[in-house]
Amino acid sequence: VRLVDLRGISDRDQTMTVDLGVLLRWKDPRLAKLDGCEVPLDAIWSPGISILNSGRLITSRPREVKVGPGGEVTYMQRYFGSLATYHNLRDFPFDKQDFVVTLASIKYGEDKVKLNIDGQFTGRTKRLNISDWNVGDVNGVTETAFSDAFQRNYGIYKLHIPAKRITGYYVWKVLLPLCLIVMMSWAVFWIDPARFGPQLGLSATSMLTLIAFLFATSTMLPSLGYFTTLDIFIVGSTILVFLALVEALFTSYLVSKDKGRLARRMDNACRFIFPLSFIVFVVIVLLYG
């Protein structure tokens, strides 16, 4: 299998849009007399190799084989369309993925059809039309799998497509604005607690801005049963913004009880505690998230 093009990867749909070239060769001595002929694939014996990833593919070449000397049969086909893939998104948006295209013979077990890799044909074109992933060198491997339904072993071919997400978009469009919203919430620590109106107004505005931002980015990923690195970052940022709001409420309460000096001391301490806490949090998320 050769990766001709990779047109797109959808995290939300767990699919990838591919352009694949598939080359099959096998030998059937019964066809030796047809040397040099092209015959319909359905008119002769074939190993029945199919792509197992669920999806919708379109073929661009006729279903014909070329017969060579001694009954050597060559079938080449090109497939374009969408294939299902598995995305482990725990490290999103700093993740690496190994996308796999799986082929196998549905008709015959391993005792009838054994798959071998054509190392010369297997690979990828140098330039792929995908902008948000860096795709590495692809490689093909063969495995044996046991089918519970048919109680027999099958030969399976897997084309591994390693890819690393380009994170620039998410850093500038998601993480940086999120950091700015968190830092905006710290401005309350420089407002005199006696002016509790502007202080509470700024805290509430920071919280509402964060909520609106979260709604705008909620469609990036499917509903997952686990947290991604981005989710952890968002939750931590939300907690810090909320704590800044709580601190503003508490200092306003202290001022109302004629404890303005204590309220100012709390604001002065929070000017250092909150930024340091955020820096430590970011480092932990990036290193261990």
Side-chain angles (χ1 to χ4, degrees):
V1 180
R2 187 169 188 85
L3 181 64
V4 180
D5 201 0
L6 183 59
R7 302 294 299 275
I9 296 172
S10 172
D11 294 310
R12 187 168 182 82
D13 298 328
Q14 302 277 282
T15 60
M16 62 178 176
T17 303
V18 296
D19 188 349
L20 300 173
V22 177
L23 176 64
L24 303 177
R25 291 195 183 98
W26 66 93
K27 195 167 186 178
D28 189 346
R30 297 171 298 179
L31 302 178
K33 60 184 179 181
L34 298 178
D35 183 12
C37 297
E38 293 186 358
V39 297
L41 176 64
D42 298 330
I44 63 170
W45 181 92
S46 68
I49 302 296
S50 301
I51 297 177
L52 300 186
N53 301 57
S54 59
R56 186 175 182 180
L57 294 174
I58 300 173
T59 58
S60 61
R61 293 176 56 87
R63 287 174 55 85
E64 294 181 348
V65 301
K66 185 175 182 179
V67 182
E72 183 176 296
V73 183
T74 301
Y75 175 62
M76 183 177 291
Q77 189 56 266
R78 190 166 177 176
Y79 298 89
F80 175 79
S82 178
L83 291 176
T85 59
Y86 173 71
H87 300 204
N88 187 337
L89 297 171
R90 293 187 184 277
D91 295 329
F92 177 85
F94 305 103
D95 54 323
K96 299 178 182 178
Q97 302 290 341
D98 182 23
F99 303 111
V100 180
V101 180
T102 306
L103 293 87
S105 174
I106 298 178
K107 294 181 179 180
Y108 307 103
E110 194 177 37
D111 58 329
K112 300 292 185 182
V113 173
K114 184 175 181 179
L115 303 179
N116 296 297
I117 299 172
D118 185 342
Q120 184 176 358
F121 185 79
T122 300
R124 48 156 290 192
T125 54
K126 292 183 178 180
R127 184 172 182 177
L128 302 174
N129 289 310
I130 187 166
S131 59
D132 50 344
W133 292 84
N134 284 324
V135 181
D137 294 330
V138 305
N139 67 293
V141 296
T142 56
E143 301 176 358
T144 299
F146 181 76
S147 171
D148 293 329
F150 298 100
Q151 293 295 302
R152 60 185 177 186
N153 289 324
Y154 285 88
I156 293 180
Y157 173 94
K158 292 184 177 180
L159 182 74
H160 291 268
I161 307 172
K164 182 178 180 181
R165 192 186 304 272
I166 298 174
T167 59
Y169 171 85
Y170 300 96
V171 170
W172 295 107
K173 294 286 188 176
V174 180
L175 298 180
L176 180 60
L178 198 57
C179 291
L180 294 178
I181 293 172
V182 173
M183 288 186 283
M184 181 178 74
S185 69
W186 301 339
V188 298
F189 307 138
W190 273 264
I191 299 177
D192 191 335
R195 302 178 60 191
F196 53 84
Q199 197 178 42
L200 294 179
L202 180 58
S203 295
T205 300
S206 300
M207 196 69 196
L208 292 174
T209 302
L210 178 61
I211 293 172
F213 182 77
L214 297 183
F215 272 111
T217 58
S218 61
T219 58
M220 285 186 175
L221 295 175
S223 299
L224 301 172
Y226 53 86
F227 265 32
T228 67
T229 297
L230 181 61
D231 292 328
I232 296 172
F233 194 87
I234 288 174
V235 171
S237 300
T238 304
I239 292 174
L240 286 174
V241 173
F242 179 74
L243 289 177
L245 173 61
V246 172
E247 195 275 347
L249 287 170
F250 189 67
T251 53
S252 299
Y253 172 77
L254 292 177
V255 169
S256 68
K257 297 297 182 180
D258 296 326
K259 297 181 180 179
R261 181 176 296 180
L262 177 58
R264 293 182 182 89
R265 287 173 59 187
M266 286 187 61
D267 277 347
N268 291 336
C270 288
R271 293 175 187 178
F272 300 96
I273 293 174
F274 272 72
L276 287 176
S277 300
F278 187 61
I279 291 173
V280 171
F281 167 72
V282 171
V283 171
I284 292 174
V285 169
L286 294 180
L287 292 180
Y288 306 105

